[in-house]
Structure formats: C-alpha cells, structure tokens
Amino acid sequence: TGSDDGAAAKPTPPPKKETVSDPPVDPICELSIDEVVPFSAGSATLTKHGRDLLEDVVAFVKATDQIQRVFINGHADEEGTEVFNLSLSKKRATTIKQYLVGLGLERNKLVARGFGEALPVIDDQTEAAFRANRRVDSAVDLGPRCGR
C-alpha cells in the first residue's frame, strides 16, 4: 500500500508549445513614404503645402538607393460621378509625378495610378471625410530583397 502524506499531487503542466517566430525583417524593407498630399475639391492643382511635402519625398527617395519604384496613388472623395472621380484621381497622381520629375526623380521609377473614390481613408459622408479622401499617397517597391 502506498504512502499518503496528505499532500495532493501537483498536476503536470502541459508541454510548452514551440513558437515559431518570423525571421527578422531587414530594416530597409520597412521603408515607407508617410506624406499624404491633400487636394481641394474637384482640383488636381498642387498647393504650397503639397509642394513642400513633395520636397521631403524627393529627399527621402534620393537618399534611399534601394527604392525600385514609387507608386503615386491618386484618390478622390465621393462627390461627383465615379467616372469624374477616377479621372480626377489619375490627374492628381500625374500632377505629382510631373512635379517629382521636375525635382529630379527618375521618371521610369515613378508609377502614377488613380483609384477614384474606391479606397477612402474615412468611409463617411461628412466634409471631414471628403477632405481626408481627396489625396495622393505613395508606396515604395523595394524589389525582390523585400519580397515585393
């Protein structure tokens, strides 16, 4: 017969699961362009504020030789027809591309795209939402080194 010292046996903890962590990310692959260039309603004309933001973008791109391409993404608010907004968003992106080329970026690295009203940052029918959605943002392609 067994000994009973009055203490309950401690349950055995479940085996620890092995965690698989993601490989470390090359810091260069985390690069992004945070500047968002705003536009007035129905306009593809750059403002002084927009030109100042783009000068920062040019400095960033010129200082980062790993950038393969810069995607210039034009957007519009929901005021107006879808056809008009798509055309306007393409004009906004093209305006920015031309300005960046004028500041010394290589034309063949710049891709202007228009998304119309399809990708709002704020999905609402308020003036604040419309203002936020009238914009051009950018994304960088860092090539195969970063899986893009």
Side-chain angles (χ1 to χ4, degrees):
T1 53
S3 65
D4 186 4
D5 59 6
K10 292 183 180 180
T12 307
K16 290 188 177 186
K17 293 181 181 178
E18 288 187 37
T19 57
V20 178
S21 59
D22 292 330
V25 175
D26 185 337
I28 200 69
C29 297
E30 295 293 310
L31 291 176
S32 65
I33 298 175
D34 297 325
E35 283 78 2
V36 175
V37 179
F39 284 86
S40 297
S43 173
T45 302
L46 276 172
T47 63
K48 166 83 170 89
H49 176 65
R51 290 189 299 273
D52 291 344
L53 289 173
L54 292 173
E55 289 176 15
D56 293 340
V57 169
V58 169
F60 173 78
V61 173
K62 285 182 174 181
T64 312
D65 60 355
Q66 292 86 354
I67 294 176
Q68 305 288 309
R69 288 182 294 179
V70 176
F71 295 101
I72 304 163
N73 306 314
H75 304 277
D77 61 30
E78 294 180 12
E79 296 181 300
T81 68
E82 284 187 40
V83 171
F84 174 80
N85 288 334
L86 183 59
S87 174
L88 179 60
S89 67
K90 289 178 182 179
K91 287 177 186 173
R92 288 174 174 165
T94 300
T95 295
I96 299 248
K97 179 177 179 176
Q98 291 169 342
Y99 190 76
L100 294 175
V101 169
L103 292 177
L105 292 187
E106 298 173 45
R107 181 179 300 277
N108 64 347
K109 279 189 171 184
L110 305 175
V111 180
R113 309 184 293 189
F115 293 96
E117 58 193 60
L119 300 172
V121 289
I122 300 175
D123 192 10
D124 199 3
Q125 297 293 313
T126 63
E127 182 52 40
F130 292 152
R131 191 171 34 258
N133 293 330
R134 294 188 294 258
R135 73 197 190 282
V136 170
D137 55 34
S138 303
V140 294
D141 175 359
L142 298 165
R145 171 178 174 181
C146 297
R148 296 184 181 137

